[in-house]
Amino acid sequence: PAAPALRLMASVASRAYHLKGASILNLLHREGCEHAGDGAVSALVQRLSKATSAPYSRAIELWVYDGQVDDPYDEFLIVEQREMKKTSLADDYNSAYWTKRYSLREEIPQFIGKQLAQKILTTGRYLNAVRETKVSAIAELPAKPRDGLGKMYFGPNMIIGTGKYADRIDDRFEHASRKLLQIMWEDGELKSRLMSMKMYFLLARGDYLVHFLDTAASELEKDADDIRLPKLQTLLDIAVKSSSTATDHHGDDLLCSIDGHGLSRQLSSIDDDDSAAVTPSKAAGDGDELSGFDAFVLDYDTPWPASVVLNRRAVTKYQILFRHLFNFKCAERELCAGWQRLQVMRGAQLGRMFAQAHTLTQRMLNFLQNYLYYITNEVIEPHWDRMIARVDDAQSVDELIAGHDAFLEACMKDAMLFWPKILKRLERARAACLRFARDSQRFADTIERLKENSMDAMTADRLVALEEEIEAVTSDTRSQFRHLLGDLLNALNDAGDVDTNVASLLSRLDFNGYYGI
């Protein structure tokens, strides 16, 4: 009668010699299923499985109740990458700390199942994050039952991922998830930090930017390589403290930097998830020659545990949105400054030129201001409201991360940052506005110099020549801008068949059908 059991013992011993961990447990599980009809053999397999799984079960208990890995023989369900540090979340665009610091081993015990194994992994990951933030918070969770996870059942009739141990894992997961969410909101101050990102990067309180540009314009006009970053940081700190953002107690975490990449190059570098990390430094071989206005970018020093959500990848996307808004804000500012300077044309016998310049300036301002309104009020605000509702309802940190990432992706998509064809045309139209703004200021400087001289024949001749130049530049720019904006509107019209949100922007930019789109 003992022969089948002995044969089983010999078979298992020979095949298990080079196996460990889940491989041995799965071998015993298969043998139990194959010999389910033989009571003696089945009982032997269950005894072997119970004895073999005992240290494995204790390791799972330690992980589920304390968030610690005890794996001296490299066989546990959870694989720990000790070299990964939580500081990488704030520094490395491609940091995989949250998802890869702890991961499931390739082979999972069959009596646990993939779904329960994933819950075991997530529970311990949450507990580990709680421990990293506030060790005392672990003691605030319900204590481990005297019998741990309870009895595990083995055999062909068991239902995978069920039983007392599965129920206790579910219960521990719920407690760990709620505790980490509580820590994220309270200790990590995540809600107020999200509001800070909106205030600074998405210009929800843009008056600080007005203060900053008023004081930093002369520095930003320099080439990117000549910018004195400490001076910019000081001016930014002063602007933040002297505007409506002064009440934000996270203002000290706001930084600025000079990025040697243009916006388009930075966008292309993040298209591939496996690309090198995007850092605010000039890349080797990068041919961009940028001014301070083009290269200026905000940065944010996110502490743990908020860096789980506001990680370097998320901050980089905020930076891209900010640079896009900042570029259009600067173009609007320069165009308004140029127009104010051109007021000198009123009293310089250049009334006709003044009217033509006024008309073109208003068309350009209509383009810039309506596009900015579209992004801030029709893209960012609706998506922000949906994101806040989603994170408020989140039951776990992973749901919170997913809701925040979805917000950034939606904003970038609707701001045309994922539409190279449209983005290129937007940038061309903006560049035309900047050129005309600078031409306007140049004309104003020339007129002021002429007005300082007495009106002699030479001055009159120069005034006639200037009038001809202004007329030529204005006419050429008007024609070019109409072509550029018409090209943009055609691209938006084509995209409207794919994305209905584009129709709103299209109607704003051509509200009276002037361009005939």
Side-chain angles (χ1 to χ4, degrees), residues 380-394:
I380 293 174
E381 283 299 329
H383 287 309
W384 177 266
D385 290 341
R386 283 191 284 270
M387 185 268 287
I388 291 298
R390 186 171 174 181
V391 300
D392 283 344
D393 293 337

Side-chain angles (χ1 to χ4, degrees), residues 234-249:
T234 301
L235 294 174
L236 179 62
D237 292 340
I238 293 172
V240 168
K241 298 302 181 185
S242 59
S243 65
S244 63
T245 56
T247 56
D248 177 35
H249 62 283

